[in-house]
Amino acid sequence: MTVGNSKQRLKLLRQLLENGGLSTHEELVLALKKKSFEVTQSTISRDLKKLGAIRATDPSGRATYQLLPSDPTALPTSKEGIQSLITGIQHNGHLIVIRTSPGSASLVARQLDLLKRDDILGSLAGDDTVFVAPSNISKIEVLLKSLKKEFIL
């Protein structure tokens, strides 16, 4: 088995992601092993990061690994597109928490980053949750209302 040329492995992984349908590290490891690449889940994790892959919901509702388009305008940026990914938004006085459908938090956080708002210090995305750090917590309620309006919630 090929321990692997990393360029060839990344190229194959990119092809697998473009073909779609793989939703776990284990599935990716098995797919690469079938092509004679001996890899571990930690290797897959590093490779996915290098490729800019995220877990997102496919049209059938299944969370799968997908490549982010190199063109950010190809992401769902319409208010209606982002709205369909968000299931709730609230704050605790310090952070705003945006709940999303499974695998969609990265897309919502990316959209927040593209807004380049001065009232947001930054965001952190998990699988279905985005933490938003406001630049001024005394104005968190104003920011929350503005985000709800932005995303039509």
Side-chain angles (χ1 to χ4, degrees):
M1 282 199 204
T2 305
V3 171
N5 174 322
S6 64
K7 285 185 181 183
Q8 291 174 332
R9 186 183 68 243
L10 286 170
K11 183 179 178 181
L12 177 58
L13 184 56
R14 178 178 293 281
Q15 291 171 351
L16 290 169
L17 295 173
E18 287 171 349
N19 292 337
L22 299 171
S23 64
T24 67
H25 283 185
E26 186 175 273
E27 289 175 356
L28 292 166
V29 167
L30 291 174
L32 286 167
K33 282 184 179 181
K34 286 181 183 176
K35 299 290 184 174
S36 299
F37 283 92
E38 190 64 40
V39 295
T40 64
Q41 288 186 5
S42 60
T43 301
I44 293 295
S45 185
R46 286 190 299 273
D47 287 351
L48 289 170
K49 192 171 192 170
K50 282 180 190 174
L51 293 173
I54 61 164
R55 277 180 56 104
T57 306
D58 69 11
S60 69
R62 184 174 178 228
T64 61
Y65 283 103
Q66 299 174 18
L67 294 173
L68 280 174
S70 57
D71 176 10
T73 61
L75 294 171
T77 56
S78 71
K79 289 181 182 178
E80 294 79 15
I82 295 297
Q83 176 193 11
S84 69
L85 303 176
I86 298 173
T87 60
I89 182 170
Q90 61 188 40
H91 75 83
N92 69 355
H94 298 283
L95 289 173
I96 293 175
V97 177
I98 301 174
R99 301 281 184 190
T100 71
S101 56
S104 300
S106 294
L107 293 173
V108 172
R110 175 84 169 131
Q111 181 60 29
L112 281 172
D113 292 345
L114 290 173
L115 294 174
K116 298 183 190 282
R117 296 178 60 129
D118 291 335
D119 51 356
I120 296 176
L121 286 176
S123 62
L124 179 67
D127 181 59
D128 61 0
T129 305
V130 179
F131 290 109
V132 180
S135 57
N136 184 339
I137 61 171
S138 67
K139 296 182 181 177
I140 197 167
E141 193 66 43
V142 173
L143 176 57
L144 180 74
K145 287 179 184 176
S146 175
L147 291 175
K148 285 181 175 182
K149 184 177 179 183
E150 179 73 31
F151 297 125
I152 315 173
L153 296 175

